[in-house]
Amino acid sequence: MAELVSLDTVTLGGVVETVPFADRLRLIPNIFGRLDAAIGQAGFFYVGPQTALYRIEGDQMEVRAGVPLDAPLPGFEMFEAPGSEALMHRHRGGFDGLAQVYQDLSAEIANLGRMRGTWAREIYRQVARNADLNVVDVYIDVTKET
């Protein structure tokens, strides 16, 4: 069940890249690999939760993948996850189920008489070798009623 929530602005450090929308499924894992490498090079064994923001402009998708940092570190680009009102769903299971979550959230936004905002974001609460144990909070920013 989706829930309407307010998100605070959060400063993150990580990787920012624009990829062709058509190639996103092939290219996004590389972005997370670069984030994981930066975390390792900074000497952390864990920092999180990892957050990804996605914004589509034309045939391009901006991807911001990061973690909360107290201060800038080499290898991390600092950026904001802007505050917003968003529709949220907690997904449990494999990442292959996320496409359906986005479809369901988009339909719910329309049912609420709202419009989709700028960003979609995923906060990875739990990622496991056994995909059944994954927990990802999926958010789609919404604007006021149409």
Side-chain angles (χ1 to χ4, degrees):
M1 189 65 177
E3 176 182 357
L4 197 58
V5 299
S6 290
L7 298 169
D8 293 329
T9 299
V10 179
T11 301
L12 302 172
V15 177
V16 177
E17 188 167 322
T18 301
V19 299
F21 183 76
D23 293 334
R24 70 194 181 285
L25 297 178
R26 182 175 57 82
L27 298 175
I28 288 174
N30 178 51
I31 293 169
F32 281 94
R34 289 174 32 216
L35 176 61
D36 289 341
I39 290 170
Q41 289 173 1
F44 293 108
F45 64 90
Y46 171 79
V47 62
Q50 288 189 355
T51 299
L53 290 98
Y54 304 99
R55 172 172 61 184
I56 299 168
E57 292 184 351
D59 62 352
Q60 301 290 305
M61 176 183 271
E62 180 181 344
V63 180
R64 298 179 182 185
V67 293
L69 291 179
D70 289 336
L73 291 171
F76 292 87
E77 183 173 340
M78 300 303 290
F79 60 89
E80 283 191 347
S84 70
E85 188 173 30
L87 201 61
M88 177 269 222
H89 174 78
R90 178 163 284 172
H91 172 71
R92 298 175 191 278
F95 294 144
D96 57 343
L98 291 175
Q100 185 63 50
V101 171
Y102 279 97
Q103 289 175 4
D104 293 346
L105 284 173
S106 294
E108 184 65 20
I109 290 168
N111 289 340
L112 291 172
R114 301 275 185 117
M115 294 183 62
R116 188 175 179 145
T118 302
W119 293 98
R121 66 190 84 201
E122 299 171 2
I123 298 178
Y124 305 95
R125 302 292 180 187
Q126 204 170 280
V127 178
R129 285 189 182 94
N130 176 351
D132 292 339
L133 300 176
N134 292 345
V135 178
V136 181
D137 292 344
V138 179
Y139 302 82
I140 297 178
D141 292 355
V142 296
T143 61
K144 297 292 180 192
E145 295 156 319
T146 58

